[in-house]
Amino acid sequence: RLQMRNTVQEERLLLLNDLGRHLDDRALALVERGAAPLGIVYATDARASSAVRIAGVFPPRSYPPITYPLARLKSSTNREAEGFRRFLLSRSGRAIFARFGFSAR
C-alpha cells in the first residue's frame, strides 16, 4: 500500500513477511543486537524493547487492522476458562490491554 519497496534497495531487504508472528520477533531481535539498522515490527513490540527506538509509524489506514481473536473452546474442560475470557473482556482486562498499547473491541 505504501509502495516503500520502490524506494529501498532490494538487495538490502530481508523480507520476513506473512510467515508467522515469530518472524516479527526475529526482525526485532536483529535490530536489537545491531545486525540490522532498521526493522518493521508491531508498535507494541517496539515499545516493549529498551534496545530500540521508534523511528516512524505507518498511517493507520495504510494496513488492515491487526486482530487477535479470543475464543473459549467448547470442548475445554478447564473450569477457569470462561472466567478468564470474561475478565479479558471486562473493564479491568481492557485497561491492561490499553496499558500495553492494545485496544479491545
Side-chain angles (χ1 to χ4, degrees), residues 71-79 81:
R72 184 179 64 89
L73 299 177
K74 188 175 183 178
S75 62
S76 173
T77 58
N78 186 323
R79 290 185 220 166

Side-chain angles (χ1 to χ4, degrees), residues 8-40:
V8 178
Q9 296 173 337
E10 289 287 328
E11 67 274 7
R12 307 265 338 244
L13 291 177
L14 172 61
L15 298 177
L16 304 175
N17 185 23
D18 295 332
L19 296 175
R21 171 79 176 117
H22 67 283
L23 290 179
D24 178 65
D25 296 336
R26 284 192 205 164
L28 182 60
L30 289 170
V31 176
E32 285 176 326
R33 67 175 189 254
L38 300 168
I40 298 173

